[in-house]
């Protein structure tokens, strides 16, 4: 299995940027599709972005397309989420997630979760 540690959250003004990181340990990192989900207060957890094992394919929720970019460094066992043009509605706890095999499997049912990192966007 794999252990995930999220970091990089914080408080930022609308229009600002943050970069989240997720460090993985345990089983071979490149075996996992990786992604980010978020959960706002009073709402269900939702998919944000995903990246394939080699990094050649990505998938984004419509609400973040053009503003967020997911990437990974398999040499550093780390996945990133660059968030630009942040909006107050992006405020949530962001969770890193991992699943063996494909992006589709990750989006449908992630197998592993990070502990979450809070992102707060002020207006």
């Amino acid at each position: 299995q794999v252990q995930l540690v999220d970091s990089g959250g914080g408080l930022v003004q609308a229009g600002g940027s943050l970069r989240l990181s997720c460090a993985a340990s345990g089983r071979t990192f490149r075996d996992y599709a990786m992604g980010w989900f978020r959960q706002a207060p009073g709402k269900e957890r939702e998919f944000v972005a995903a990246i394939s094992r080699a990094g050649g394919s990505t998938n984004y929720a419509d609400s973040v397309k053009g503003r967020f970019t997911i990437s990974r460094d398999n040499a550093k066992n780390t996945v990133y989420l660059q968030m630009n043009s942040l909006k107050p509605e992006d405020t949530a706890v962001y969770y890193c997630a991992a699943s063996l095999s494909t992006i589709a499997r990750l989006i449908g049912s992630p197998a592993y979760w990070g502990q979450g990192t809070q992102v707060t966007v002020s207006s």
Side-chain angles (χ1 to χ4, degrees), residues 2-113:
V2 65
Q3 293 77 43
L4 305 174
V5 178
D6 309 328
S7 63
L11 173 64
V12 63
Q13 289 188 331
S17 298
L18 281 174
R19 188 176 82 155
L20 306 183
S21 299
C22 172
S25 60
R27 187 171 168 163
T28 306
F29 180 67
R30 62 179 179 270
D31 287 344
Y32 292 85
M34 300 296 298
W36 292 92
F37 290 70
R38 67 186 182 187
Q39 187 167 19
K43 296 187 177 181
E44 293 187 353
R45 193 172 299 189
E46 64 176 2
F47 167 74
V48 175
I51 189 166
S52 60
R53 289 173 292 175
S57 297
T58 57
N59 191 306
Y60 296 94
D62 288 342
S63 59
V64 306
K65 280 181 183 177
R67 300 188 298 122
F68 291 11
T69 302
I70 189 171
S71 61
R72 67 189 293 161
D73 185 338
N74 285 350
K76 295 183 178 180
N77 290 357
T78 302
V79 63
Y80 305 97
L81 185 68
Q82 179 66 45
M83 306 186 294
N84 298 329
S85 302
L86 282 161
K87 304 175 181 179
E89 51 263 44
D90 294 318
T91 295
V93 178
Y94 283 70
Y95 297 90
C96 178
S99 283
L100 288 170
S101 187
T102 65
I103 288 179
R105 187 170 182 175
L106 173 81
I107 295 173
S109 181
Y112 303 101
W113 295 96

